[in-house]
Amino acid sequence: MSAQTVVLLGPPGAGKGTQAAGLAAESHWPHISTGDILRAAVAAQSPLGLQANGFMERGEYVPDPLIIDLIKERMAAPDARGGVFLDGFPRTAPQAEMLDQLLADLGRQPAVAILVEVARAELIARLSGRLTCQSCQRIYQLTSQPPRHSGICDVCGGTLIQRTDDQPETVARRLAVYDEKTAPLIAFYEQGKRLTAVDGMGSQDQVAARLKEAIGWS
Ligand code: AMP
């Protein structure tokens, strides 16, 4: 498998995190989620976490300069050399342009993007039933993919929580911010003939199979 930077695009709740984690486990390419990195920074009360917290709680985007510094550091790490799955980044046009520049500077291939498409009503249902492990970030669904023991992560035994930004008012805000700021990236990658759209409805395995086909693994 040649090194690739695969950007998973799509609205919150499309399954990008779940799918990226599965693909990362199969390929040994890391799953880089800016949301996970930011939540860890908030939990650690690091300078980045303290700056990002308010934006995240309101369902707004963290300012580009903070994200750009974070991703530069993460992409330069040795485990990112072979290929990566980016989840939740880029999210704005300046971030996408910066990623192109960064990959050119690192001597890597330009990124390819996969858009995971899911109907809006399904997104809202998924986000409001989503539980996240506080320790390992694994995602569960109350109806379709519940944990074996209520409130406890099957994998690490950590506590499952509802992210504050998965609460209904914030979900509406996040979807609106996605439409305004991230949906235009679809055109950005389409123009460069770097976009493949994948149907994100159906079981986790069905979606995983479509993603692998889009990446050229099957
Ligand atoms: P996610 O886990 O990807 O849904 O991200 C959760 C929250 O983290 C978002 O609602 C934003 O507040 C923030 N965030 C994550 N990634 C980015 C990014 N690339 N640019 C700006 N804000 C981000």
Side-chain angles (χ1 to χ4, degrees), residues 12 33-36 38-39 55-56 59-62 67 87-91 95 130 163 165 174:
S33 155
T34 42
D36 285 352
L38 290 167
R39 278 184 288 280
F55 295 102
M56 294 173 75
E60 290 166 10
Y61 286 174
V62 171
I67 301 291
D87 157 23
F89 174 89
R91 249 177 159 108
Q95 290 182 11
R130 176 159 85 170
R163 283 170 38 180
D165 61 352
R174 285 166 65 205

mmCIF file with all atom_site columns, all heavy atoms in Angstrom, residues 12 33-36 38-39 55-56 59-62 67 87-91 95 130 163 165 174, ligand 1:
data_model
loop_
_atom_site.group_PDB
_atom_site.id
_atom_site.type_symbol
_atom_site.label_atom_id
_atom_site.label_alt_id
_atom_site.label_comp_id
_atom_site.label_asym_id
_atom_site.label_entity_id
_atom_site.label_seq_id
_atom_site.pdbx_PDB_ins_code
_atom_site.Cartn_x
_atom_site.Cartn_y
_atom_site.Cartn_z
_atom_site.occupancy
_atom_site.B_iso_or_equiv
_atom_site.pdbx_formal_charge
_atom_site.auth_seq_id
_atom_site.auth_comp_id
_atom_site.auth_asym_id
_atom_site.auth_atom_id
_atom_site.pdbx_PDB_model_num
ATOM   1   N N   . PRO A 1 12  ? -20.767 16.058 11.064 1.00 0.00 ? 12  PRO A N   1
ATOM   2   C CA  . PRO A 1 12  ? -20.666 15.345 12.335 1.00 0.00 ? 12  PRO A CA  1
ATOM   3   C C   . PRO A 1 12  ? -21.718 14.233 12.359 1.00 0.00 ? 12  PRO A C   1
ATOM   4   O O   . PRO A 1 12  ? -22.847 14.438 11.936 1.00 0.00 ? 12  PRO A O   1
ATOM   5   C CB  . PRO A 1 12  ? -21.000 16.405 13.400 1.00 0.00 ? 12  PRO A CB  1
ATOM   6   C CG  . PRO A 1 12  ? -21.158 17.698 12.696 1.00 0.00 ? 12  PRO A CG  1
ATOM   7   C CD  . PRO A 1 12  ? -21.091 17.472 11.222 1.00 0.00 ? 12  PRO A CD  1
ATOM   8   N N   . SER A 1 33  ? -7.400  12.381 14.547 1.00 0.00 ? 33  SER A N   1
ATOM   9   C CA  . SER A 1 33  ? -8.651  13.115 14.737 1.00 0.00 ? 33  SER A CA  1
ATOM   10  C C   . SER A 1 33  ? -8.334  14.389 15.503 1.00 0.00 ? 33  SER A C   1
ATOM   11  O O   . SER A 1 33  ? -7.901  14.322 16.662 1.00 0.00 ? 33  SER A O   1
ATOM   12  C CB  . SER A 1 33  ? -9.633  12.245 15.532 1.00 0.00 ? 33  SER A CB  1
ATOM   13  O OG  . SER A 1 33  ? -10.569 13.058 16.212 1.00 0.00 ? 33  SER A OG  1
ATOM   14  N N   . THR A 1 34  ? -8.535  15.540 14.860 1.00 0.00 ? 34  THR A N   1
ATOM   15  C CA  . THR A 1 34  ? -8.253  16.790 15.570 1.00 0.00 ? 34  THR A CA  1
ATOM   16  C C   . THR A 1 34  ? -9.207  16.944 16.761 1.00 0.00 ? 34  THR A C   1
ATOM   17  O O   . THR A 1 34  ? -8.827  17.469 17.802 1.00 0.00 ? 34  THR A O   1
ATOM   18  C CB  . THR A 1 34  ? -8.345  18.004 14.622 1.00 0.00 ? 34  THR A CB  1
ATOM   19  O OG1 . THR A 1 34  ? -9.477  17.838 13.767 1.00 0.00 ? 34  THR A OG1 1
ATOM   20  C CG2 . THR A 1 34  ? -7.098  18.154 13.795 1.00 0.00 ? 34  THR A CG2 1
ATOM   21  N N   . GLY A 1 35  ? -10.443 16.441 16.630 1.00 0.00 ? 35  GLY A N   1
ATOM   22  C CA  . GLY A 1 35  ? -11.397 16.503 17.749 1.00 0.00 ? 35  GLY A CA  1
ATOM   23  C C   . GLY A 1 35  ? -10.870 15.724 18.953 1.00 0.00 ? 35  GLY A C   1
ATOM   24  O O   . GLY A 1 35  ? -10.919 16.197 20.093 1.00 0.00 ? 35  GLY A O   1
ATOM   25  N N   . ASP A 1 36  ? -10.339 14.500 18.719 1.00 0.00 ? 36  ASP A N   1
ATOM   26  C CA  . ASP A 1 36  ? -9.796  13.695 19.832 1.00 0.00 ? 36  ASP A CA  1
ATOM   27  C C   . ASP A 1 36  ? -8.597  14.402 20.467 1.00 0.00 ? 36  ASP A C   1
ATOM   28  O O   . ASP A 1 36  ? -8.455  14.430 21.692 1.00 0.00 ? 36  ASP A O   1
ATOM   29  C CB  . ASP A 1 36  ? -9.329  12.311 19.338 1.00 0.00 ? 36  ASP A CB  1
ATOM   30  C CG  . ASP A 1 36  ? -10.493 11.362 19.062 1.00 0.00 ? 36  ASP A CG  1
ATOM   31  O OD1 . ASP A 1 36  ? -11.642 11.705 19.385 1.00 0.00 ? 36  ASP A OD1 1
ATOM   32  O OD2 . ASP A 1 36  ? -10.227 10.273 18.498 1.00 0.00 ? 36  ASP A OD2 1
ATOM   33  N N   . LEU A 1 38  ? -7.982  17.586 20.516 1.00 0.00 ? 38  LEU A N   1
ATOM   34  C CA  . LEU A 1 38  ? -8.465  18.759 21.263 1.00 0.00 ? 38  LEU A CA  1
ATOM   35  C C   . LEU A 1 38  ? -9.145  18.343 22.571 1.00 0.00 ? 38  LEU A C   1
ATOM   36  O O   . LEU A 1 38  ? -8.940  18.972 23.608 1.00 0.00 ? 38  LEU A O   1
ATOM   37  C CB  . LEU A 1 38  ? -9.438  19.569 20.407 1.00 0.00 ? 38  LEU A CB  1
ATOM   38  C CG  . LEU A 1 38  ? -8.814  20.311 19.222 1.00 0.00 ? 38  LEU A CG  1
ATOM   39  C CD1 . LEU A 1 38  ? -9.900  20.818 18.273 1.00 0.00 ? 38  LEU A CD1 1
ATOM   40  C CD2 . LEU A 1 38  ? -7.958  21.479 19.697 1.00 0.00 ? 38  LEU A CD2 1
ATOM   41  N N   . ARG A 1 39  ? -9.941  17.262 22.525 1.00 0.00 ? 39  ARG A N   1
ATOM   42  C CA  . ARG A 1 39  ? -10.605 16.829 23.776 1.00 0.00 ? 39  ARG A CA  1
ATOM   43  C C   . ARG A 1 39  ? -9.567  16.396 24.808 1.00 0.00 ? 39  ARG A C   1
ATOM   44  O O   . ARG A 1 39  ? -9.718  16.672 25.998 1.00 0.00 ? 39  ARG A O   1
ATOM   45  C CB  . ARG A 1 39  ? -11.603 15.689 23.490 1.00 0.00 ? 39  ARG A CB  1
ATOM   46  C CG  . ARG A 1 39  ? -12.954 16.202 22.984 1.00 0.00 ? 39  ARG A CG  1
ATOM   47  C CD  . ARG A 1 39  ? -13.966 15.088 22.794 1.00 0.00 ? 39  ARG A CD  1
ATOM   48  N NE  . ARG A 1 39  ? -13.655 14.258 21.653 1.00 0.00 ? 39  ARG A NE  1
ATOM   49  C CZ  . ARG A 1 39  ? -13.938 14.572 20.387 1.00 0.00 ? 39  ARG A CZ  1
ATOM   50  N NH1 . ARG A 1 39  ? -14.562 15.675 20.111 1.00 0.00 ? 39  ARG A NH1 1
ATOM   51  N NH2 . ARG A 1 39  ? -13.611 13.765 19.406 1.00 0.00 ? 39  ARG A NH2 1
ATOM   52  N N   . PHE A 1 55  ? -14.879 27.332 22.447 1.00 0.00 ? 55  PHE A N   1
ATOM   53  C CA  . PHE A 1 55  ? -15.351 27.143 21.065 1.00 0.00 ? 55  PHE A CA  1
ATOM   54  C C   . PHE A 1 55  ? -16.030 25.781 20.941 1.00 0.00 ? 55  PHE A C   1
ATOM   55  O O   . PHE A 1 55  ? -17.101 25.654 20.349 1.00 0.00 ? 55  PHE A O   1
ATOM   56  C CB  . PHE A 1 55  ? -14.180 27.202 20.072 1.00 0.00 ? 55  PHE A CB  1
ATOM   57  C CG  . PHE A 1 55  ? -13.510 28.542 20.017 1.00 0.00 ? 55  PHE A CG  1
ATOM   58  C CD1 . PHE A 1 55  ? -12.310 28.780 20.664 1.00 0.00 ? 55  PHE A CD1 1
ATOM   59  C CD2 . PHE A 1 55  ? -14.086 29.585 19.299 1.00 0.00 ? 55  PHE A CD2 1
ATOM   60  C CE1 . PHE A 1 55  ? -11.696 30.020 20.614 1.00 0.00 ? 55  PHE A CE1 1
ATOM   61  C CE2 . PHE A 1 55  ? -13.477 30.831 19.227 1.00 0.00 ? 55  PHE A CE2 1
ATOM   62  C CZ  . PHE A 1 55  ? -12.281 31.045 19.893 1.00 0.00 ? 55  PHE A CZ  1
ATOM   63  N N   . MET A 1 56  ? -15.395 24.761 21.502 1.00 0.00 ? 56  MET A N   1
ATOM   64  C CA  . MET A 1 56  ? -15.920 23.403 21.364 1.00 0.00 ? 56  MET A CA  1
ATOM   65  C C   . MET A 1 56  ? -17.268 23.274 22.075 1.00 0.00 ? 56  MET A C   1
ATOM   66  O O   . MET A 1 56  ? -18.199 22.686 21.536 1.00 0.00 ? 56  MET A O   1
ATOM   67  C CB  . MET A 1 56  ? -14.912 22.393 21.908 1.00 0.00 ? 56  MET A CB  1
ATOM   68  C CG  . MET A 1 56  ? -13.647 22.373 21.078 1.00 0.00 ? 56  MET A CG  1
ATOM   69  S SD  . MET A 1 56  ? -12.376 21.355 21.781 1.00 0.00 ? 56  MET A SD  1
ATOM   70  C CE  . MET A 1 56  ? -12.989 19.711 21.390 1.00 0.00 ? 56  MET A CE  1
ATOM   71  N N   . GLY A 1 59  ? -20.005 24.485 20.028 1.00 0.00 ? 59  GLY A N   1
ATOM   72  C CA  . GLY A 1 59  ? -20.197 23.832 18.728 1.00 0.00 ? 59  GLY A CA  1
ATOM   73  C C   . GLY A 1 59  ? -19.584 24.629 17.591 1.00 0.00 ? 59  GLY A C   1
ATOM   74  O O   . GLY A 1 59  ? -19.908 24.414 16.430 1.00 0.00 ? 59  GLY A O   1
ATOM   75  N N   . GLU A 1 60  ? -18.684 25.567 17.935 1.00 0.00 ? 60  GLU A N   1
ATOM   76  C CA  . GLU A 1 60  ? -18.026 26.381 16.903 1.00 0.00 ? 60  GLU A CA  1
ATOM   77  C C   . GLU A 1 60  ? -16.637 25.819 16.605 1.00 0.00 ? 60  GLU A C   1
ATOM   78  O O   . GLU A 1 60  ? -16.128 25.005 17.360 1.00 0.00 ? 60  GLU A O   1
ATOM   79  C CB  . GLU A 1 60  ? -17.896 27.827 17.394 1.00 0.00 ? 60  GLU A CB  1
ATOM   80  C CG  . GLU A 1 60  ? -19.256 28.494 17.448 1.00 0.00 ? 60  GLU A CG  1
ATOM   81  C CD  . GLU A 1 60  ? -19.250 29.791 18.236 1.00 0.00 ? 60  GLU A CD  1
ATOM   82  O OE1 . GLU A 1 60  ? -18.161 30.282 18.580 1.00 0.00 ? 60  GLU A OE1 1
ATOM   83  O OE2 . GLU A 1 60  ? -20.352 30.280 18.513 1.00 0.00 ? 60  GLU A OE2 1
ATOM   84  N N   . TYR A 1 61  ? -16.030 26.300 15.526 1.00 0.00 ? 61  TYR A N   1
ATOM   85  C CA  . TYR A 1 61  ? -14.704 25.819 15.184 1.00 0.00 ? 61  TYR A CA  1
ATOM   86  C C   . TYR A 1 61  ? -13.641 26.551 15.993 1.00 0.00 ? 61  TYR A C   1
ATOM   87  O O   . TYR A 1 61  ? -13.747 27.758 16.259 1.00 0.00 ? 61  TYR A O   1
ATOM   88  C CB  . TYR A 1 61  ? -14.417 26.022 13.689 1.00 0.00 ? 61  TYR A CB  1
ATOM   89  C CG  . TYR A 1 61  ? -15.149 25.044 12.783 1.00 0.00 ? 61  TYR A CG  1
ATOM   90  C CD1 . TYR A 1 61  ? -15.094 25.161 11.412 1.00 0.00 ? 61  TYR A CD1 1
ATOM   91  C CD2 . TYR A 1 61  ? -15.894 23.996 13.319 1.00 0.00 ? 61  TYR A CD2 1
ATOM   92  C CE1 . TYR A 1 61  ? -15.767 24.266 10.581 1.00 0.00 ? 61  TYR A CE1 1
ATOM   93  C CE2 . TYR A 1 61  ? -16.567 23.101 12.500 1.00 0.00 ? 61  TYR A CE2 1
ATOM   94  C CZ  . TYR A 1 61  ? -16.503 23.245 11.140 1.00 0.00 ? 61  TYR A CZ  1
ATOM   95  O OH  . TYR A 1 61  ? -17.162 22.366 10.327 1.00 0.00 ? 61  TYR A OH  1
ATOM   96  N N   . VAL A 1 62  ? -12.619 25.788 16.355 1.00 0.00 ? 62  VAL A N   1
ATOM   97  C CA  . VAL A 1 62  ? -11.449 26.346 17.027 1.00 0.00 ? 62  VAL A CA  1
ATOM   98  C C   . VAL A 1 62  ? -10.680 27.136 15.948 1.00 0.00 ? 62  VAL A C   1
ATOM   99  O O   . VAL A 1 62  ? -10.614 26.701 14.791 1.00 0.00 ? 62  VAL A O   1
ATOM   100 C CB  . VAL A 1 62  ? -10.617 25.163 17.600 1.00 0.00 ? 62  VAL A CB  1
ATOM   101 C CG1 . VAL A 1 62  ? -9.282  25.613 18.135 1.00 0.00 ? 62  VAL A CG1 1
ATOM   102 C CG2 . VAL A 1 62  ? -11.440 24.425 18.677 1.00 0.00 ? 62  VAL A CG2 1
ATOM   103 N N   . ILE A 1 67  ? -5.280  25.072 15.132 1.00 0.00 ? 67  ILE A N   1
ATOM   104 C CA  . ILE A 1 67  ? -5.403  23.766 14.472 1.00 0.00 ? 67  ILE A CA  1
ATOM   105 C C   . ILE A 1 67  ? -4.187  23.517 13.581 1.00 0.00 ? 67  ILE A C   1
ATOM   106 O O   . ILE A 1 67  ? -3.652  22.416 13.506 1.00 0.00 ? 67  ILE A O   1
ATOM   107 C CB  . ILE A 1 67  ? -6.691  23.734 13.597 1.00 0.00 ? 67  ILE A CB  1
ATOM   108 C CG1 . ILE A 1 67  ? -7.929  23.999 14.450 1.00 0.00 ? 67  ILE A CG1 1
ATOM   109 C CG2 . ILE A 1 67  ? -6.801  22.428 12.829 1.00 0.00 ? 67  ILE A CG2 1
ATOM   110 C CD1 . ILE A 1 67  ? -8.274  22.909 15.416 1.00 0.00 ? 67  ILE A CD1 1
ATOM   111 N N   . ASP A 1 87  ? -9.346  12.769 10.200 1.00 0.00 ? 87  ASP A N   1
ATOM   112 C CA  . ASP A 1 87  ? -10.768 12.791 10.563 1.00 0.00 ? 87  ASP A CA  1
ATOM   113 C C   . ASP A 1 87  ? -11.037 14.109 11.294 1.00 0.00 ? 87  ASP A C   1
ATOM   114 O O   . ASP A 1 87  ? -10.470 14.356 12.344 1.00 0.00 ? 87  ASP A O   1
ATOM   115 C CB  . ASP A 1 87  ? -11.020 11.555 11.445 1.00 0.00 ? 87  ASP A CB  1
ATOM   116 C CG  . ASP A 1 87  ? -12.220 11.670 12.355 1.00 0.00 ? 87  ASP A CG  1
ATOM   117 O OD1 . ASP A 1 87  ? -13.118 12.463 12.070 1.00 0.00 ? 87  ASP A OD1 1
ATOM   118 O OD2 . ASP A 1 87  ? -12.251 10.925 13.369 1.00 0.00 ? 87  ASP A OD2 1
ATOM   119 N N   . GLY A 1 88  ? -11.860 14.963 10.676 1.00 0.00 ? 88  GLY A N   1
ATOM   120 C CA  . GLY A 1 88  ? -12.171 16.247 11.315 1.00 0.00 ? 88  GLY A CA  1
ATOM   121 C C   . GLY A 1 88  ? -11.199 17.345 10.912 1.00 0.00 ? 88  GLY A C   1
ATOM   122 O O   . GLY A 1 88  ? -11.279 18.463 11.420 1.00 0.00 ? 88  GLY A O   1
ATOM   123 N N   . PHE A 1 89  ? -10.299 17.054 10.020 1.00 0.00 ? 89  PHE A N   1
ATOM   124 C CA  . PHE A 1 89  ? -9.344  18.024 9.485  1.00 0.00 ? 89  PHE A CA  1
ATOM   125 C C   . PHE A 1 89  ? -9.056  17.639 8.049  1.00 0.00 ? 89  PHE A C   1
ATOM   126 O O   . PHE A 1 89  ? -8.835  16.457 7.794  1.00 0.00 ? 89  PHE A O   1
ATOM   127 C CB  . PHE A 1 89  ? -8.038  18.036 10.284 1.00 0.00 ? 89  PHE A CB  1
ATOM   128 C CG  . PHE A 1 89  ? -7.003  18.929 9.654  1.00 0.00 ? 89  PHE A CG  1
ATOM   129 C CD1 . PHE A 1 89  ? -6.937  20.267 9.993  1.00 0.00 ? 89  PHE A CD1 1
ATOM   130 C CD2 . PHE A 1 89  ? -6.136  18.436 8.676  1.00 0.00 ? 89  PHE A CD2 1
ATOM   131 C CE1 . PHE A 1 89  ? -6.003  21.100 9.387  1.00 0.00 ? 89  PHE A CE1 1
ATOM   132 C CE2 . PHE A 1 89  ? -5.215  19.276 8.059  1.00 0.00 ? 89  PHE A CE2 1
ATOM   133 C CZ  . PHE A 1 89  ? -5.151  20.605 8.419  1.00 0.00 ? 89  PHE A CZ  1
ATOM   134 N N   . PRO A 1 90  ? -8.954  18.577 7.084  1.00 0.00 ? 90  PRO A N   1
ATOM   135 C CA  . PRO A 1 90  ? -9.279  20.001 7.203  1.00 0.00 ? 90  PRO A CA  1
ATOM   136 C C   . PRO A 1 90  ? -10.792 20.235 7.278  1.00 0.00 ? 90  PRO A C   1
ATOM   137 O O   . PRO A 1 90  ? -11.579 19.432 6.801  1.00 0.00 ? 90  PRO A O   1
ATOM   138 C CB  . PRO A 1 90  ? -8.702  20.587 5.921  1.00 0.00 ? 90  PRO A CB  1
ATOM   139 C CG  . PRO A 1 90  ? -8.715  19.454 4.937  1.00 0.00 ? 90  PRO A CG  1
ATOM   140 C CD  . PRO A 1 90  ? -8.501  18.202 5.733  1.00 0.00 ? 90  PRO A CD  1
ATOM   141 N N   . ARG A 1 91  ? -11.146 21.376 7.849  1.00 0.00 ? 91  ARG A N   1
ATOM   142 C CA  . ARG A 1 91  ? -12.546 21.725 8.037  1.00 0.00 ? 91  ARG A CA  1
ATOM   143 C C   . ARG A 1 91  ? -12.882 23.092 7.452  1.00 0.00 ? 91  ARG A C   1
ATOM   144 O O   . ARG A 1 91  ? -14.044 23.481 7.456  1.00 0.00 ? 91  ARG A O   1
ATOM   145 C CB  . ARG A 1 91  ? -12.816 21.787 9.533  1.00 0.00 ? 91  ARG A CB  1
ATOM   146 C CG  . ARG A 1 91  ? -13.718 20.693 10.066 1.00 0.00 ? 91  ARG A CG  1
ATOM   147 C CD  . ARG A 1 91  ? -13.787 20.904 11.556 1.00 0.00 ? 91  ARG A CD  1
ATOM   148 N NE  . ARG A 1 91  ? -14.926 20.289 12.159 1.00 0.00 ? 91  ARG A NE  1
ATOM   149 C CZ  . ARG A 1 91  ? -14.861 19.212 12.930 1.00 0.00 ? 91  ARG A CZ  1
ATOM   150 N NH1 . ARG A 1 91  ? -13.731 18.588 13.125 1.00 0.00 ? 91  ARG A NH1 1
ATOM   151 N NH2 . ARG A 1 91  ? -15.953 18.763 13.503 1.00 0.00 ? 91  ARG A NH2 1
ATOM   152 N N   . GLN A 1 95  ? -7.510  25.709 6.063  1.00 0.00 ? 95  GLN A N   1
ATOM   153 C CA  . GLN A 1 95  ? -6.895  24.470 6.562  1.00 0.00 ? 95  GLN A CA  1
ATOM   154 C C   . GLN A 1 95  ? -6.554  23.529 5.406  1.00 0.00 ? 95  GLN A C   1
ATOM   155 O O   . GLN A 1 95  ? -5.513  22.876 5.403  1.00 0.00 ? 95  GLN A O   1
ATOM   156 C CB  . GLN A 1 95  ? -7.827  23.760 7.547  1.00 0.00 ? 95  GLN A CB  1
ATOM   157 C CG  . GLN A 1 95  ? -7.986  24.481 8.874  1.00 0.00 ? 95  GLN A CG  1
ATOM   158 C CD  . GLN A 1 95  ? -8.892  23.730 9.854  1.00 0.00 ? 95  GLN A CD  1
ATOM   159 O OE1 . GLN A 1 95  ? -9.250  22.570 9.636  1.00 0.00 ? 95  GLN A OE1 1
ATOM   160 N NE2 . GLN A 1 95  ? -9.274  24.388 10.933 1.00 0.00 ? 95  GLN A NE2 1
ATOM   161 N N   . ARG A 1 130 ? -25.246 8.960  20.730 1.00 0.00 ? 130 ARG A N   1
ATOM   162 C CA  . ARG A 1 130 ? -23.830 8.572  20.714 1.00 0.00 ? 130 ARG A CA  1
ATOM   163 C C   . ARG A 1 130 ? -23.216 8.657  22.108 1.00 0.00 ? 130 ARG A C   1
ATOM   164 O O   . ARG A 1 130 ? -23.416 9.615  22.838 1.00 0.00 ? 130 ARG A O   1
ATOM   165 C CB  . ARG A 1 130 ? -23.085 9.512  19.763 1.00 0.00 ? 130 ARG A CB  1
ATOM   166 C CG  . ARG A 1 130 ? -21.605 9.287  19.709 1.00 0.00 ? 130 ARG A CG  1
ATOM   167 C CD  . ARG A 1 130 ? -21.023 9.846  18.450 1.00 0.00 ? 130 ARG A CD  1
ATOM   168 N NE  . ARG A 1 130 ? -20.715 11.261 18.541 1.00 0.00 ? 130 ARG A NE  1
ATOM   169 C CZ  . ARG A 1 130 ? -20.022 11.926 17.610 1.00 0.00 ? 130 ARG A CZ  1
ATOM   170 N NH1 . ARG A 1 130 ? -19.629 11.319 16.511 1.00 0.00 ? 130 ARG A NH1 1
ATOM   171 N NH2 . ARG A 1 130 ? -19.761 13.202 17.762 1.00 0.00 ? 130 ARG A NH2 1
ATOM   172 N N   . ARG A 1 163 ? -20.851 13.351 24.905 1.00 0.00 ? 163 ARG A N   1
ATOM   173 C CA  . ARG A 1 163 ? -20.072 14.583 24.746 1.00 0.00 ? 163 ARG A CA  1
ATOM   174 C C   . ARG A 1 163 ? -20.997 15.778 24.920 1.00 0.00 ? 163 ARG A C   1
ATOM   175 O O   . ARG A 1 163 ? -22.133 15.756 24.451 1.00 0.00 ? 163 ARG A O   1
ATOM   176 C CB  . ARG A 1 163 ? -19.444 14.620 23.343 1.00 0.00 ? 163 ARG A CB  1
ATOM   177 C CG  . ARG A 1 163 ? -18.238 13.738 23.217 1.00 0.00 ? 163 ARG A CG  1
ATOM   178 C CD  . ARG A 1 163 ? -17.757 13.571 21.799 1.00 0.00 ? 163 ARG A CD  1
ATOM   179 N NE  . ARG A 1 163 ? -17.836 14.749 20.962 1.00 0.00 ? 163 ARG A NE  1
ATOM   180 C CZ  . ARG A 1 163 ? -17.449 14.768 19.678 1.00 0.00 ? 163 ARG A CZ  1
ATOM   181 N NH1 . ARG A 1 163 ? -16.963 13.674 19.120 1.00 0.00 ? 163 ARG A NH1 1
ATOM   182 N NH2 . ARG A 1 163 ? -17.544 15.861 18.963 1.00 0.00 ? 163 ARG A NH2 1
ATOM   183 N N   . ASP A 1 165 ? -20.979 18.406 23.400 1.00 0.00 ? 165 ASP A N   1
ATOM   184 C CA  . ASP A 1 165 ? -21.387 18.952 22.105 1.00 0.00 ? 165 ASP A CA  1
ATOM   185 C C   . ASP A 1 165 ? -22.286 17.995 21.314 1.00 0.00 ? 165 ASP A C   1
ATOM   186 O O   . ASP A 1 165 ? -22.654 18.282 20.185 1.00 0.00 ? 165 ASP A O   1
ATOM   187 C CB  . ASP A 1 165 ? -20.179 19.428 21.280 1.00 0.00 ? 165 ASP A CB  1
ATOM   188 C CG  . ASP A 1 165 ? -19.179 18.343 20.933 1.00 0.00 ? 165 ASP A CG  1
ATOM   189 O OD1 . ASP A 1 165 ? -19.328 17.218 21.451 1.00 0.00 ? 165 ASP A OD1 1
ATOM   190 O OD2 . ASP A 1 165 ? -18.260 18.611 20.143 1.00 0.00 ? 165 ASP A OD2 1
ATOM   191 N N   . ARG A 1 174 ? -23.583 22.705 15.316 1.00 0.00 ? 174 ARG A N   1
ATOM   192 C CA  . ARG A 1 174 ? -22.459 22.057 14.617 1.00 0.00 ? 174 ARG A CA  1
ATOM   193 C C   . ARG A 1 174 ? -22.813 21.756 13.168 1.00 0.00 ? 174 ARG A C   1
ATOM   194 O O   . ARG A 1 174 ? -21.987 21.896 12.277 1.00 0.00 ? 174 ARG A O   1
ATOM   195 C CB  . ARG A 1 174 ? -22.060 20.764 15.345 1.00 0.00 ? 174 ARG A CB  1
ATOM   196 C CG  . ARG A 1 174 ? -21.302 21.052 16.634 1.00 0.00 ? 174 ARG A CG  1
ATOM   197 C CD  . ARG A 1 174 ? -21.208 19.832 17.515 1.00 0.00 ? 174 ARG A CD  1
ATOM   198 N NE  . ARG A 1 174 ? -20.428 18.766 16.944 1.00 0.00 ? 174 ARG A NE  1
ATOM   199 C CZ  . ARG A 1 174 ? -20.568 17.489 17.256 1.00 0.00 ? 174 ARG A CZ  1
ATOM   200 N NH1 . ARG A 1 174 ? -21.492 17.111 18.127 1.00 0.00 ? 174 ARG A NH1 1
ATOM   201 N NH2 . ARG A 1 174 ? -19.794 16.590 16.706 1.00 0.00 ? 174 ARG A NH2 1
HETATM 202 P P1  . AMP B 2 .   ? -15.123 16.382 16.114 1.00 0.00 ? 1   AMP B P1  1
HETATM 203 O O1  . AMP B 2 .   ? -14.756 15.383 17.156 1.00 0.00 ? 1   AMP B O1  1
HETATM 204 O O2  . AMP B 2 .   ? -14.332 16.225 14.847 1.00 0.00 ? 1   AMP B O2  1
HETATM 205 O O3  . AMP B 2 .   ? -16.614 16.465 15.874 1.00 0.00 ? 1   AMP B O3  1
HETATM 206 O O4  . AMP B 2 .   ? -14.677 17.822 16.692 1.00 0.00 ? 1   AMP B O4  1
HETATM 207 C C1  . AMP B 2 .   ? -15.254 18.331 17.875 1.00 0.00 ? 1   AMP B C1  1
HETATM 208 C C2  . AMP B 2 .   ? -15.038 19.827 17.957 1.00 0.00 ? 1   AMP B C2  1
HETATM 209 O O5  . AMP B 2 .   ? -13.629 20.112 17.970 1.00 0.00 ? 1   AMP B O5  1
HETATM 210 C C3  . AMP B 2 .   ? -15.578 20.621 16.777 1.00 0.00 ? 1   AMP B C3  1
HETATM 211 O O6  . AMP B 2 .   ? -16.957 20.924 16.911 1.00 0.00 ? 1   AMP B O6  1
HETATM 212 C C4  . AMP B 2 .   ? -14.688 21.874 16.845 1.00 0.00 ? 1   AMP B C4  1
HETATM 213 O O7  . AMP B 2 .   ? -15.077 22.723 17.904 1.00 0.00 ? 1   AMP B O7  1
HETATM 214 C C5  . AMP B 2 .   ? -13.344 21.300 17.227 1.00 0.00 ? 1   AMP B C5  1
HETATM 215 N N1  . AMP B 2 .   ? -12.539 20.918 16.037 1.00 0.00 ? 1   AMP B N1  1
HETATM 216 C C6  . AMP B 2 .   ? -12.123 19.661 15.690 1.00 0.00 ? 1   AMP B C6  1
HETATM 217 N N2  . AMP B 2 .   ? -11.404 19.679 14.559 1.00 0.00 ? 1   AMP B N2  1
HETATM 218 C C7  . AMP B 2 .   ? -11.366 20.985 14.157 1.00 0.00 ? 1   AMP B C7  1
HETATM 219 C C8  . AMP B 2 .   ? -10.803 21.659 13.030 1.00 0.00 ? 1   AMP B C8  1
HETATM 220 N N3  . AMP B 2 .   ? -10.127 20.982 12.070 1.00 0.00 ? 1   AMP B N3  1
HETATM 221 N N4  . AMP B 2 .   ? -10.979 23.004 12.943 1.00 0.00 ? 1   AMP B N4  1
HETATM 222 C C9  . AMP B 2 .   ? -11.644 23.697 13.878 1.00 0.00 ? 1   AMP B C9  1
HETATM 223 N N5  . AMP B 2 .   ? -12.216 23.122 14.963 1.00 0.00 ? 1   AMP B N5  1
HETATM 224 C C10 . AMP B 2 .   ? -12.086 21.780 15.114 1.00 0.00 ? 1   AMP B C10 1
#
